[in-house]
Amino acid sequence: MTQILQADADGIARAAALLRDGRLVAFPTETVYGLGGDAANERAVAAIFEAKGRPNFNPLIVHVASPEAAQALVTWSDAAERVAAAFWPGPLTLVLPARADAPVSHLARAGLGTLAVRMPAAPVARALLDAFGGPVAAPSANRSGQISPTCAAHVTDGLGGRIDAVLDGGACPVGVESTILGLTGLPTLLRPGGITEEALEACLGRRLVERRDTEAVSAPGQLHSHYAPRARVRLNAADWDEGEARLGFGAVECDLNLSESGDMTEAAANLFAFLHRLDGSGAEVIAVSPIPHVGLGVAINDRLNRAAAER
Ligand code: TXA
Ligand code: MG
């Protein structure tokens, strides 16, 4: 049985108590719902992999309540200080060298010497992290390879019965996962996301290194058919074929429009929810309008390309 907890003081206290007990609680962040477990507790972390059906080599993001809490886990740097000052709390994850004594399960790190840390902005996430008082490991709260959840119902659709509770804080405003910035060497974009590459480059005063797809890096993009709906996905659809579920962008006739006005922020917030809905319609193909490759459009296209990848 998966309990649905309201995101009020009682629900948050209950969720924190479950985490202390080594249980799994899905909670809302500004990006997507995370499947949280006590990052220091190997069994809780193992249960996350188990519930998601996720391959064990994929390391997890550790969520913290403050930059100071992050500094207890990783070796901080000037670059980390700069981007954290500019974008935390918010949809930015930093990969840094793990401290030897960091109280984080090895399974969560997938055996790597680095750790991904993030301070989320959503008030419910922050209240939960404060109430729990330690780092929380949380991948997106979906079965491995499926679409990321942006509301509590998406979580129960995929993980109902497999996790202890969902803290229901409504819809996630950003709608795509955090940007992952590697800071173990030259600043490297490991995954595009809620903070744009341009904004990071402006903050750091230098270009980011792009992770090349041929490199063996443990970022989510490795798995080609990530974020996959059941339906086949057809990208850059200039017009629609008979029987397709039509996911539009801009001034087009369609079933669901990511943003009629062409607003990338609105489109990102709608992306996963609309893929879920069109997938649920039973159509064999979801056709998607072209999305301009600018700003958040880079992250949106990244997710769409994965959804459309051969599998
Ligand atoms: O917005 C988000 O980031 C959401 C919410 C819940 O915070 N979380 C999320 O987690 O997207 P997840 O587990 O679905 O994606 C995290 C990705 C993993 O696929 C992993 O490859 C990468 O972060 N990652 C984690 N630790 C890493 C590390 N040490 N080095 C490189 N990549 C890492
Ligand atoms: Mg995910």
Side-chain angles (χ1 to χ4, degrees):
M1 259 292 285
T2 299
Q3 305 172 48
I4 311 289
L5 301 171
Q6 294 312 305
D8 53 18
D10 278 358
I12 286 165
R14 175 87 191 117
L18 285 168
L19 289 176
R20 275 193 287 276
D21 212 24
R23 314 278 186 146
L24 303 188
V25 179
F27 64 97
T29 80
E30 69 279 20
T31 59
V32 300
Y33 273 70
L35 176 55
D38 178 354
N41 179 333
E42 295 279 1
R43 297 193 60 150
V45 173
I48 292 175
F49 287 112
E50 172 73 40
K52 281 185 65 86
R54 173 188 256 199
N56 279 9
F57 50 75
N58 222 351
L60 304 181
I61 295 175
V62 172
H63 296 67
V64 292
S66 66
E68 294 70 34
Q71 286 161 26
L73 306 179
V74 293
T75 306
W76 210 237
S77 65
D78 289 346
E81 183 58 36
R82 268 200 194 204
V83 292
F87 303 111
W88 278 9
L92 175 67
T93 294
L94 303 180
V95 173
L96 289 158
R99 285 185 181 277
D101 58 352
V104 172
S105 124
H106 290 281
L107 196 53
R109 299 185 216 178
L112 300 173
T114 55
L115 196 62
V117 289
R118 148 161 145 81
M119 179 185 176
V124 176
R126 298 186 66 182
L128 177 63
L129 289 166
D130 281 335
F132 175 63
V136 171
S140 51
N142 51 274
R143 297 275 294 172
S144 187
Q146 295 181 357
I147 305 169
S148 294
T150 53
C151 65
H154 296 162
V155 177
T156 47
D157 281 354
L159 296 176
R162 305 178 66 90
I163 63 176
D164 297 288
V166 182
L167 194 53
D168 185 353
C172 302
V174 177
V176 291
E177 294 90 339
S178 60
T179 300
I180 304 183
L181 179 66
L183 292 177
T184 52
L186 292 176
T188 304
L189 185 70
L190 297 176
R191 175 177 77 180
I195 299 286
T196 64
E197 187 174 2
E198 293 84 347
L200 288 168
E201 290 181 340
C203 175
L204 289 169
R206 60 171 303 143
R207 300 295 303 272
L208 299 186
V209 179
E210 303 272 342
R211 181 185 60 74
R212 298 219 318 279
D213 272 328
T214 48
E215 280 174 51
V217 181
S218 42
Q222 298 328 311
L223 301 174
H224 254 289
S225 84
H226 217 72
Y227 310 102
R230 263 179 304 273
R232 195 162 65 72
V233 176
R234 184 169 76 86
L235 300 180
N236 299 313
D239 44 31
W240 312 116
D241 293 338
E242 187 78 33
E244 287 179 332
R246 303 166 301 173
L247 182 59
F249 178 87
V252 292
E253 204 191 295
C254 56
D255 297 305
L256 287 174
N257 200 317
L258 290 169
S259 171
E260 268 172 53
S261 65
D263 178 320
M264 287 300 176
T265 307
E266 182 187 10
N270 286 331
L271 178 66
F272 289 127
F274 285 6
L275 283 172
H276 273 284
R277 264 159 68 184
L278 293 178
D279 208 24
S281 74
E284 268 165 38
V285 178
I286 299 173
V288 188
S289 292
I291 312 289
H293 208 65
V294 293
L296 278 182
V298 178
I300 294 172
N301 282 317
D302 175 76
R303 305 304 186 271
L304 283 170
N305 280 316
R306 290 183 207 302
E310 287 287 332
R311 56 180 187 265

